[in-house]
Amino acid sequence: MPSRQQPKRIYNISEFPSHYRIKGGVDDSDRQLLGGIYSGVTSSFEYGLGESTYIAAWTRMPRWSGVDSDPDWIVGLRNKRLIPSHFQFHFGHVGMTGVWGYPRNRLDKSLFRYVVAPLALEREPFDVCLVDDGG
């Protein structure tokens, strides 16, 4: 754990900045549920990055890693002020994508690399693994 990291913060939806709320299907009950989970764990891995990543950062997750299929989206998230430097971002190339980075060719072998490759780099298991189904 990085030495300059601040202690965990309990997620409170009323304190979570509204500009980190993404219009992608997450409602306040989802935010509260995930915020509660993330407040109580010390590590998380995410397939698909977005508001959940912001919630992890807001709770000051000590160990976080995630993968997404859109490199521009990854760069945009990684460069937000809220995101700590110890968060690990991975690009999962899945070929041509459509809306929300969803692969157009769902039979492409690269989908397996998206799932397996980022975790192959990890030495320890995660407390939570979040899978964004794109819906």
Side-chain angles (χ1 to χ4, degrees):
M1 179 164 35
S3 60
R4 291 186 220 152
Q5 189 167 328
Q6 297 177 328
K8 288 279 289 175
R9 175 175 20 208
I10 302 300
Y11 181 84
N12 181 328
I13 196 165
S14 64
E15 296 173 359
F16 187 65
S18 61
H19 59 275
Y20 290 118
R21 295 181 185 189
I22 299 172
K23 294 179 175 128
V26 177
D27 62 25
D28 283 348
S29 64
D30 297 326
R31 290 178 180 101
Q32 196 60 51
L33 175 64
L34 184 59
I37 292 168
Y38 276 9
S39 293
V41 299
T42 60
S43 65
S44 176
F45 186 90
E46 295 182 359
Y47 289 100
L49 312 178
E51 189 169 341
S52 57
T53 309
Y54 294 139
I55 292 172
W58 182 256
T59 63
R60 300 178 179 141
M61 186 73 64
R63 182 171 162 251
W64 180 94
S65 186
V67 61
D68 201 275
S69 61
D70 184 337
D72 295 330
W73 181 249
I74 293 170
V75 170
L77 273 170
R78 187 178 53 208
N79 291 334
K80 297 288 186 197
R81 185 173 185 209
L82 176 66
I83 302 298
S85 62
H86 69 274
F87 273 32
Q88 298 292 310
F89 292 85
H90 303 277
F91 168 60
H93 181 63
V94 294
M96 295 296 292
T97 59
V99 178
W100 297 101
Y102 199 76
R104 291 185 182 174
N105 181 359
R106 294 169 46 189
L107 299 176
D108 191 319
K109 279 186 167 183
S110 63
L111 296 177
F112 297 110
R113 288 191 301 273
Y114 177 91
V115 172
V116 175
L119 290 176
L121 302 172
E122 299 294 335
R123 295 177 184 243
E124 300 292 325
F126 290 93
D127 295 333
V128 173
C129 182
L130 180 71
V131 179
D132 182 348
D133 68 357

